[in-house]
Amino acid sequence: MKRTSVNPWSWSLKLGYHQAEILEDIKRQLVCAGQTSVDAQGNPQHTDDMRGQMALALENLEAVLEAAGMSLSNITRLNIYTTDMDETMEHFDVLGAGFGAFNATPPMTLLGVTRLAIPTLMFEIEATAAD
């Protein structure tokens, strides 16, 4: 897969994402469901701990990608949902560290929501990946 970033402005690069990417020569595309802070049985973890929830949601996303033979470097689009925007931004380095290890800066949207499907969850991340 060939990726060409599109950034008419540079401000988003400081936050770790491109405004857009042109994708060419795609063999496979993976559409992931939203990943949250749950264990292998689907039980919520890290109640009242945004940093813990973000880290586990990212680990769960990596597990889905790995099961498909991919990694964070294959992500072409991120949608992030949070019930507390300020708390999420305070701990955004969790995502930066995960994606930074792959030098990945996929286009993303961060959206504040009233609640997620399970009331104790505060953070959800969904992705599209390709190779």
Side-chain angles (χ1 to χ4, degrees):
M1 171 178 65
K2 179 183 174 194
R3 298 170 84 142
T4 306
S5 62
V6 178
N7 291 299
W9 318 280
S10 62
W11 63 263
S12 64
L13 298 176
K14 292 180 242 174
L15 296 172
Y17 68 95
H18 291 296
Q19 291 293 323
E21 289 184 331
I22 298 167
L23 306 175
E24 299 175 89
D25 303 322
I26 295 173
K27 291 185 264 179
R28 298 182 308 151
Q29 182 174 337
L30 176 69
V31 179
C32 302
Q35 299 300 308
T36 59
S37 177
V38 295
D39 64 17
Q41 290 73 42
N43 300 309
Q45 304 294 303
H46 305 292
T47 303
D48 298 322
D49 175 8
M50 179 64 81
R51 188 172 191 83
Q53 287 200 19
M54 291 173 73
L56 184 53
L58 186 59
E59 286 176 28
N60 288 342
L61 177 58
E62 287 183 282
V64 171
L65 291 164
E66 186 177 309
M70 296 182 181
S71 72
L72 293 176
S73 67
N74 294 99
I75 292 183
T76 60
R77 175 86 173 127
L78 280 176
N79 293 316
I80 301 170
Y81 307 93
T82 181
T83 60
D84 188 330
M85 189 68 72
D86 293 332
E87 188 82 6
T88 297
M89 293 307 294
E90 183 178 327
H91 301 290
F92 213 72
D93 63 296
V94 170
L95 297 180
F99 284 92
F102 293 92
N103 197 28
T105 51
M108 73 172 69
T109 297
L110 175 60
L111 182 66
V113 297
T114 304
R115 66 165 268 197
L116 297 172
I118 300 172
T120 59
L121 295 176
M122 303 178 287
F123 183 84
E124 185 165 345
I125 185 169
E126 69 180 18
T128 302
D131 62 4

